[in-house]
Amino acid sequence: MENNKELRHWLDAFGLNHPLVIAGPCSAETEEQLLKIAHQLKNTDTSVLRAGIWKPRTRPGNFEGVGALGLKWLQKAKEETGLLTTTEVANANHVALALKHDVDILWIGARTTVSPFIVQEIADAVKGTDKIVLVKNPVNPDLALWLGAVERFYTAGITKLGVIHRGFSTYEKTRYRNNPEWQIPIDLQNAFPDLPLILDPSHIAGRRDRIFDLCQTALDLNYDGLMVETHYDPDNAWSDADQQITPKALEQMTVDLKIRKVEGDEKEFNNQLNTMRTQIDLIDDQIMDMLGKRMKIVDTIGALKKKNNVAILQVKRWNEVLGRMILEGEENRLSEEFVLKIYKAIHQESINHQKKVIND
Ligand code: PEP
Ligand code: MN
């Protein structure tokens, strides 16, 4: 697959002057629930109603979706509100049922994207239709696997394509349910600038109070749309209760989010500048995070030194660290002077930390 303008024709056809908004509950629960949410989203920035019909749960025993019955509710919601509809399909049977119920957009879930066999089965089932297919990133941070899934649809003749960034699983607990790893969608965007890129802040955040900031970062990075889990009673949702927001909150969010839209000659320049500044901000966040992690280990070593009655400063070890970092710096085109300055500062902070641990 090569980048081409055709990839975004379906998105341009919406004729929006703001990013595409896809909203709706994590899961369709009852007909009443889905219709109520759909009506609350009608006449807002939302163009597409989402609802999970079959829910892929990491562990059994959680709500696994209402099944094909819910497709009728989606269809009814479309008739009553004019919103387009989208749901997750995870096998050829789901595709056949979704097609039968006139679902407009099919999305491929993160747990499906990881499996080329299933993706191929779904691509074969969608072949010959003019459906829009959105491919969520795989649960593991693997750009090739993500792109590979998109390519299977492209090769099957599906050209109305897009990707959804929903973050990546980590064993280590982070501040997010799924770590964003922004560099991965950024790399994808650089390779395929015309492939619509949509953020799913809900599954990245895992909690509603972090959704806004994630959306703003995505807009600063020129994402094309947002898919936000929305429920009139989030706390009592049957799945993903912590991360859903009300249609009202979503509406307010779309007002508060800043779309950096500049017209004319400066547009390209500004877009590029904003994108790169956001990239730098994300790297700065990582630097702080790494320094924090480094200090935590330093504290633990401090406690160990205290227990074993060892002096804080160990010159031999320090010279080794410095020597290694100067070489690393050289490889990264950083001057020796700069590396020395940074590492002296880090070393001083480490000593301060250990002094504190030892004196406590
Ligand atoms: C969902 O969108 O409700 C969902 C299950 O998402 P993901 O595949 O990203 O986990
Ligand atoms: Mn969900």
Side-chain angles (χ1 to χ4, degrees), residues 25-27 50-52 54-58 88 107-113 136-137 139 164-167 177-178 200 203 227 229 239-240 243:
C26 176
S27 307
R50 65 149 279 156
W54 302 280
K55 300 304 297 177
R57 310 315 307 230
T58 296
E88 171 174 353
W107 94 70
I108 310 303
R111 292 164 195 74
T112 304
T113 307
K136 285 200 170 194
N137 66 253
V139 282
I164 302 175
H165 171 212
R166 53 77 80 194
R177 175 178 176 192
N178 289 296
D200 170 347
H203 290 89
M227 182 199 253
E229 286 190 339
S239 58
D240 289 351
Q243 70 194 32

Side-chain angles (χ1 to χ4, degrees), residues 264-328:
D265 288 349
E266 276 176 90
K267 189 175 166 186
E268 198 55 19
F269 166 74
N270 272 301
N271 273 347
Q272 285 182 5
L273 193 65
N274 279 330
T275 304
M276 285 186 279
R277 283 185 171 158
T278 307
Q279 293 186 22
I280 285 184
D281 289 348
L282 294 168
I283 291 176
D284 283 340
D285 288 347
Q286 284 174 0
I287 291 176
M288 275 306 136
D289 200 50
M290 296 308 270
L291 285 174
K293 280 190 183 141
R294 191 185 194 283
M295 281 312 152
K296 264 206 192 113
I297 300 178
V298 163
D299 286 343
T300 314
I301 294 183
L304 202 66
K305 284 179 179 168
K306 181 178 180 178
K307 201 168 147 217
N308 290 279
N309 222 357
V310 175
I312 291 180
L313 184 67
Q314 285 168 319
V315 179
K316 185 165 163 275
R317 162 70 185 158
W318 173 238
N319 283 332
E320 279 166 12
V321 171
L322 217 49
R324 202 166 72 82
M325 286 305 105
I326 287 170
L327 287 178
E328 279 283 320

Side-chain angles (χ1 to χ4, degrees), residues 145-162:
L145 194 58
W146 193 3
L147 269 175
V150 177
E151 273 167 343
R152 285 180 195 276
F153 287 96
Y154 190 77
T155 309
I158 304 294
T159 52
K160 297 178 178 175
L161 287 167

Side-chain angles (χ1 to χ4, degrees), residues 8 11-21 44-47 219 222-225 254-255 257-263 267:
R8 58 185 310 112
L11 181 64
D12 295 337
F14 278 90
L16 302 169
N17 62 355
H18 57 76
L20 177 72
V21 181
T44 67
D45 278 358
T46 299
S47 308
L219 296 189
N222 274 314
Y223 277 46
D224 301 285
T254 55
V255 173
L257 285 170
K258 289 192 186 58
I259 304 170
R260 305 195 195 283
K261 213 163 147 253
V262 204
E263 294 304 333
K267 189 175 166 186

